[in-house]
């Protein structure tokens, strides 16, 4: 810094706050944090590893109790990548906003976009698309791992067999929505630990609790939980009465409620 | 131009800012003073829409901050607390901020050069020293080439060269006709930088005047005296003033006194009457610091001295 430096005198350039600019900004913010990149890398690696593990340990040739068809292994591996993906997406979605609160970055974000809603929507869009794409890549990694092992045994399994592809797409949609669900909670709670606990609690703990309570109508709520919607979309399990559309609607409901609570808090409270 | 009207902010039962009305005019540097907890930072946060006023309003160039179409170009702000994600590099932080308004990357490089961050621009902000963090905050404030600049404690943690740079920068921006609102606890620095002073105390406006008037309004004028019979003179002056007077005499050095509560003429007359020779007799105007301390004496919320207590007004 030199003592004589001053900033340019007018005429000045003309800048403008825009939603496109906010999208671009959030995209830069997402990919310039190591924690995001690590989360995505781990998601893909674990999914590939899971596929490898399943394909090598599962008997795909025999007819015994533990034997599976090749396509069955592909389905198990790709839905397994959703199980992994949902956990990482929950952490990522929570941290992407609570990290801004804990570091003070939120004040920079909100002075640049004082109406707030635009910045939040931009953040949600960037998070949803990137997490969805990484979830698809993760499923592809686990599929490839399985396909490679099977190929070594002279077997093959296609992504286009049976219900595999719809479930891969459904699973990725679920994982991306879990990230948004955690984003909403994080915006509401503003604490990383609290938001992660809340999101993982909704996915992992709530189902167990509901099943354990010895009251029938509470047990009957089980299929309406967030993770149940995910299971149906990613693997077709849990719920013969549900279609792809109704499960997706349920998923959207959970996600929107969380996002709306988050937006309400963001607009009403001081930053 | 910043206009605050009856601006009020309550946090629960505590009133941080209480019915404050002021305007910050373009073309000059306005110093924003007040003890810790006086409401300066809260006021600045309300100006840029981070905190919502409980009552009253504040506008920048006639509009509420949230209604500005290009907030970063209208107002550049450095807040007291850090406002940067520690995991991101300075360059990426500025680039993301610039992107919101379509500000080109060329401008990001410009402010990095301007604030002397070139060497650390690609290092993560988490490892920055206090001074480097301040420079980054100032870079962010300048990014949109704003018409109005709001800087909360900008020289906090800066080296002497940086302090001087901020002084020259703010003065030159004001000279270009821009509005500059600056808070600092360094009174000597403020005296050199500001044209106008606004003082808050316990959330209320207690002064709003040009620096010269502000200092002139202080009763804290002293007289410096040098005499070979300084002790004798001091005794005589104190006796003449009598108990309960405002007269106060402090030794400055060998045979030198600093006297308050007397005019230079008063001291000279008293010395002549006693036949005491004077080698120096100088009226000393109050400094900004003295004027400020006198004004805020009763408005200090957190007083040094062991206990944390609300002082009585």
């Amino acid at each position: 810094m030199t003592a004589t430096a001053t900033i340019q005198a007018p005429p000045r350039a003309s800048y403008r706050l825009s939603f496109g600019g906010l999208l671009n900004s959030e995209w830069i913010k997402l990919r310039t944090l190591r924690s995001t990149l690590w989360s995505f890398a781990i998601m893909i690696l674990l999914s590939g590893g899971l596929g490898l593990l399943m394909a090598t340990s599962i008997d795909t040739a025999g007819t015994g109790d533990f034997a599976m068809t090749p396509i069955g292994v592909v389905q198990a591996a790709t839905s397994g990548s959703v199980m992994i993906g949902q956990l990482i997406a929950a952490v990522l979605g929570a941290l992407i906003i609570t990290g801004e609160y804990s570091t003070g970055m939120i004040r920079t974000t909100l002075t640049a976009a004082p109406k707030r809603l635009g910045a939040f929507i931009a953040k949600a869009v960037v998070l949803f698309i990137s997490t969805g794409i990484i979830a698809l890549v993760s499923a592809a990694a686990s599929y490839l791992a399985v396909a490679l092992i099977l190929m070594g045994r002279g077997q093959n399994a296609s992504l286009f067999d049976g219900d595999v592809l719809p479930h891969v797409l459904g699973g990725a949609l679920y994982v991306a929505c879990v990230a948004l669900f955690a984003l909403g909670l994080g915006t509401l709670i503003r604490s990383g630990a609290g938001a992660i606990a809340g999101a993982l609690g909704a996915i992992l703990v709530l189902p167990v609790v509901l099943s354990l309570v010895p009251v029938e109508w509470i047990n009957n709520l089980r299929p309406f939980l967030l993770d149940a919607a995910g299971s149906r979309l990613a693997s077709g399990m849990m719920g013969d009465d549900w279609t792809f559309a109704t499960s997706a609607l349920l998923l959207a409901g959970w996600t929107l409620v969380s996002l709306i609570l988050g937006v309400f808090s963001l607009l009403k409270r001081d930053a | 131009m910043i206009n605050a009207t009856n601006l009020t902010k309550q946090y629960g039962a505590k009133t941080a800012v209480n019915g404050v009305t002021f305007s910050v005019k373009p073309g000059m540097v306005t110093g924003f003073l007040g003890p810790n907890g006086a409401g300066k930072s809260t006021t600045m946060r309300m100006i840029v829409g981070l905190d919502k006023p409980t009552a009253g309003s504040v506008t920048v160039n006639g509009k509420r901050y949230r209604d500005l179409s290009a907030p970063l170009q209208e107002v550049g702000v450095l807040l007291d607390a850090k406002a940067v994600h520690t995991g991101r590099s300075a360059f990426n932080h500025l680039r993301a901020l610039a992107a919101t308004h379509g500000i080109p990357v060329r401008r990001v490089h410009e402010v990095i050069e301007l604030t002397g961050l070139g060497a650390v621009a690609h290092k993560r902000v988490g490892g920055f020293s206090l001074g480097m963090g301040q420079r980054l905050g100032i870079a962010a404030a300048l990014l949109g080439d704003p018409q109005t600049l709001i800087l909360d404690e900008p020289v906090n943690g800066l080296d002497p060269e940086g302090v001087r740079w901020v002084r020259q920068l703010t003065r030159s921006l004001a000279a270009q006709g821009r509005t500059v609102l600056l808070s600092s606890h360094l009174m000597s620095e403020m005296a050199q930088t500001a044209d106008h002073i606004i003082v808050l105390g316990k959330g209320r406006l207690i002064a709003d005047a040009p620096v010269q008037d502000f200092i002139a309004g202080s009763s804290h004028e002293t007289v410096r005296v040098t005499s070979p019979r300084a002790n004798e003179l001091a005794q005589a002056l104190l006796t003449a003033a009598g108990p309960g007077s405002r007269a106060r005499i402090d030794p400055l050095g060998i045979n030198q006194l600093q006297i308050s509560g007397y005019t230079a003429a008063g001291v000279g007359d008293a010395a002549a009457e006693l036949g005491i020779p004077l080698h120096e007799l100088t009226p000393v105007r109050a400094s900004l610091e003295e004027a400020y301390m006198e004004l805020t004496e009763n408005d200090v919320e957190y007083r040094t001295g062991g206990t944390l207590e609300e002082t009585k007004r």
Side-chain angles (χ1 to χ4, degrees):
Chain A
M1 134 171 15
T2 61
T4 52
T6 57
I7 81 168
Q8 301 280 312
R12 296 148 70 219
S14 178
Y15 307 130
R16 198 167 192 86
L17 177 64
S18 67
F19 184 68
L22 289 170
L23 275 179
N24 188 12
S25 175
E26 290 299 332
W27 171 230
I28 293 170
K29 278 156 78 174
L30 183 90
R31 62 182 209 267
T32 52
L33 279 186
R34 287 189 207 172
S35 54
T36 325
L37 301 179
W38 274 113
S39 301
F40 284 156
I42 286 169
M43 209 160 130
I44 296 167
L45 285 175
L46 283 183
S47 298
L50 183 76
L52 212 61
L53 206 66
M54 283 185 162
T56 46
S57 60
I58 292 174
D59 179 7
T60 50
T63 52
D65 285 347
F66 299 105
M68 283 175 88
T69 60
I71 198 65
V73 179
V74 167
Q75 276 167 343
T78 52
S79 67
S81 85
V82 171
M83 297 295 110
I84 294 166
Q86 65 175 357
L87 305 182
I88 294 171
V91 173
L92 191 70
L95 288 185
I96 202 169
I97 185 71
T98 60
E100 292 211 9
Y101 278 103
S102 65
T103 58
M105 178 68 197
I106 191 74
R107 289 189 282 270
T108 297
T109 303
L110 297 184
T111 44
K115 287 200 170 70
R116 303 189 181 186
L117 186 60
F120 184 81
I121 293 175
K123 195 181 276 297
V125 167
V126 166
L127 178 68
F128 180 81
I129 293 176
S130 57
T131 310
I133 288 174
I134 297 298
L136 285 177
V137 172
S138 299
S142 73
Y143 165 75
L144 277 178
V146 172
L148 280 174
I149 300 289
L150 291 180
M151 212 188 291
R153 295 178 195 156
Q155 296 178 314
N156 65 64
S158 167
L159 258 182
F160 302 98
D161 285 349
D163 285 341
V164 175
L165 197 59
H167 284 150
V168 164
L169 293 174
L173 179 70
Y174 168 68
V175 170
C177 283
V178 167
L180 291 185
F181 177 75
L183 171 70
L185 280 188
T187 312
L188 183 68
I189 300 172
R190 296 187 176 188
S191 137
I196 292 171
L200 291 183
I203 296 169
L204 300 177
V205 182
L206 201 56
V208 179
V209 172
L210 287 202
S211 313
L212 289 179
V213 176
V215 180
E216 201 188 343
W217 70 266
I218 291 183
N219 301 151
N220 291 342
L221 293 178
R222 179 72 188 83
F224 294 93
L225 292 187
L226 177 61
D227 76 303
S231 294
R232 288 191 294 269
L233 291 172
S235 63
M237 285 189 294
M238 292 191 51
D240 304 323
D241 308 336
W242 294 79
T243 64
F244 192 93
T246 53
S247 291
L249 219 58
L250 177 65
L251 175 65
W254 276 93
T255 309
L256 281 177
V257 166
S258 171
L259 286 177
I260 288 168
L261 287 175
V263 164
F264 188 76
S265 166
L266 182 75
L267 296 184
K268 289 292 162 207
R269 290 170 66 190
D270 289 340
Chain B
M1 185 81 160
I2 301 170
N3 284 304
T5 311
N6 191 30
L7 198 57
T8 302
K9 181 68 184 180
Q10 290 178 319
Y11 296 107
K14 185 171 166 55
T15 304
V17 176
N18 195 349
V20 167
T21 299
F22 63 85
S23 59
V24 183
K25 294 174 192 67
M28 60 172 83
V29 176
T30 302
F32 202 29
L33 308 181
N36 291 332
K40 301 186 300 292
S41 295
T42 304
T43 300
M44 287 175 160
R45 290 162 55 82
M46 284 193 282
I47 295 173
V48 294
L50 288 176
D51 283 11
K52 197 174 288 181
T54 311
S57 65
V58 59
T59 60
V60 182
N61 300 331
K63 284 184 179 173
R64 284 188 307 165
Y65 184 83
R66 55 163 290 150
D67 294 331
L68 298 173
S69 61
L72 292 186
Q73 190 167 26
E74 300 267 4
V75 183
V77 62
L78 166 75
L79 296 164
D80 61 337
K82 276 204 172 164
V84 183
H85 199 297
T86 43
R88 210 170 271 124
S89 73
F91 173 72
N92 283 328
H93 171 72
L94 293 171
R95 193 162 60 113
L97 184 58
T100 59
H101 282 58
I103 298 170
V105 177
R106 173 170 42 80
R107 177 67 187 161
V108 172
H109 289 295
E110 261 174 42
V111 295
I112 284 175
E113 281 313 306
L114 189 65
T115 51
L117 284 171
V120 294
H122 292 280
K123 293 209 163 66
R124 287 198 288 169
V125 176
F128 275 24
S129 66
L130 183 58
M132 281 301 172
Q134 287 295 82
R135 283 167 194 257
L136 177 57
I138 295 170
L142 294 175
L143 193 60
D145 194 13
Q147 190 58 43
T148 299
L149 207 60
I150 298 172
L151 304 174
D152 199 357
E153 302 279 346
V155 299
N156 188 17
L158 285 189
D159 51 26
E161 190 270 328
V163 171
R164 195 170 73 162
W165 174 75
V166 168
R167 185 201 313 148
Q168 289 168 338
L169 175 76
T170 48
R171 294 230 46 92
S172 77
L173 289 173
Q176 289 170 19
R178 304 192 202 216
T179 306
V180 181
L181 180 63
L182 179 76
S183 87
S184 176
H185 289 300
L186 298 180
M187 289 301 145
S188 55
E189 190 51 40
M190 193 57 98
Q192 292 183 69
T193 311
D195 306 292
H196 194 95
I197 296 284
I198 292 174
V199 185
L200 292 189
K202 286 188 178 169
R204 292 175 183 278
L205 188 77
I206 55 178
D208 182 352
V211 173
Q212 298 313 321
D213 296 4
F214 180 76
I215 295 173
S218 164
S219 64
H220 208 285
E221 286 213 332
T222 60
V223 180
R224 193 168 65 230
V225 176
T226 310
S227 165
R229 289 158 64 190
N231 283 340
E232 211 178 314
L233 178 64
Q235 286 302 330
L237 288 172
L238 285 176
T239 312
S245 83
R246 286 170 28 92
R248 189 188 144 98
I249 302 182
D250 298 302
L252 278 181
I254 298 168
N255 293 334
Q256 199 172 44
L257 303 170
Q258 179 175 312
I259 301 168
S260 55
Y262 269 97
T263 61
V267 174
D269 289 350
E273 219 164 275
L274 294 166
I276 295 175
L278 298 183
H279 295 172
E280 184 196 0
L281 178 62
T282 314
V284 181
R285 289 191 55 195
S287 66
L288 178 61
E289 177 170 283
E290 285 159 344
Y292 168 80
M293 295 303 270
E294 184 186 332
L295 183 69
T296 57
E297 207 169 23
N298 297 318
D299 292 292
V300 176
E301 183 144 1
Y302 304 104
R303 190 179 290 283
T304 329
T307 57
L308 202 63
E309 55 171 332
E310 280 263 321
T311 55
K312 292 162 205 77
R313 237 177 191 282

